[in-house]
Amino acid sequence: MASDYARALGARLRGIRTQQGLSLHGVEEKSEGRWKAVVVGSYERGDRAVTVQRLAELADFYGVPVQALLPDAAPTGSSEPPPKLVLDLERLQSVPAEKAGPLARYAATIQGQRGDYNGKVLSIRTDDLRTLAVIYDVPPAVLAEQLITWGVLNADARRAVASED
């Protein structure tokens, strides 16, 4: 019988896998057979104990810190308002580092805090944009326009920033 902790650990494993858009068979394919779908599924259900070594290897495979897989590391976030701004993390990688460095570091910090490792998009709040504006030493509206120009921020951000004025 699975313990509560094993089930919670399994839920975290499943959450990270699904954030990355992978099915159990997708994990097996992407890992070229290193991670069998049936084994990963049994970890996720809490039916099979996972060693620390295997957990570290699985975290490496998913590209997340081990702490992100541990149940106590799960972000709460239930009382937060819905995000208004979306960063395109894939497009961010194509922006020169001298321009995007502060934004990339900030986004990585938010991902770590939230345990959000899908790697494609990241929702941020208006407060995050204001903080980034301080870092870039420009008004939030100017930064929003620059990020939209780079293709890393959704155009709806203009409305979110305009409502702040």
Side-chain angles (χ1 to χ4, degrees):
M1 182 173 276
S3 72
D4 288 343
Y5 190 83
R7 282 191 293 273
L9 176 65
R12 289 297 298 152
L13 290 170
R14 182 177 297 110
I16 295 292
R17 175 179 57 79
T18 58
Q19 278 183 5
Q20 295 186 2
L22 292 171
S23 65
L24 288 171
H25 291 288
V27 169
E28 188 167 340
E29 289 174 10
K30 185 177 176 184
S31 71
E32 297 177 343
R34 172 147 170 47
W35 294 101
K36 301 292 183 204
V38 68
V39 172
V40 174
S42 65
Y43 290 156
E44 290 181 1
R45 288 187 304 278
D47 294 340
R48 184 176 185 155
V50 58
T51 65
V52 172
Q53 178 65 36
R54 293 291 282 172
L55 190 64
E57 291 169 3
L58 199 51
D60 187 53
F61 171 76
Y62 287 135
V64 302
V66 174
Q67 305 90 297
L69 300 180
L70 302 176
D72 294 338
T76 53
S78 59
S79 65
E80 296 176 345
K84 297 178 183 177
L85 311 171
V86 179
L87 294 176
D88 184 331
L89 300 176
E90 291 177 326
R91 293 285 303 266
L92 180 59
Q93 293 175 4
S94 65
V95 178
E98 64 272 5
K99 292 181 179 178
L103 176 58
R105 287 188 299 275
Y106 194 84
T109 299
I110 292 173
Q111 283 181 293
Q113 290 173 340
R114 294 184 190 166
D116 182 358
Y117 299 101
N118 77 18
K120 296 177 183 172
V121 297
L122 179 68
S123 297
I124 63 170
R125 288 147 191 82
T126 307
D127 286 344
D128 294 319
L129 187 62
R130 281 196 295 265
T131 300
L132 284 163
V134 170
I135 293 168
Y136 278 93
D137 196 27
V138 295
V142 171
L143 179 61
E145 282 302 321
Q146 184 61 60
L147 298 180
I148 292 167
T149 301
W150 292 347
V152 301
L153 185 62
N154 58 318
D156 291 340
R158 286 186 184 102
R159 287 196 309 264
V161 173
S163 69
E164 292 290 307
D165 292 339

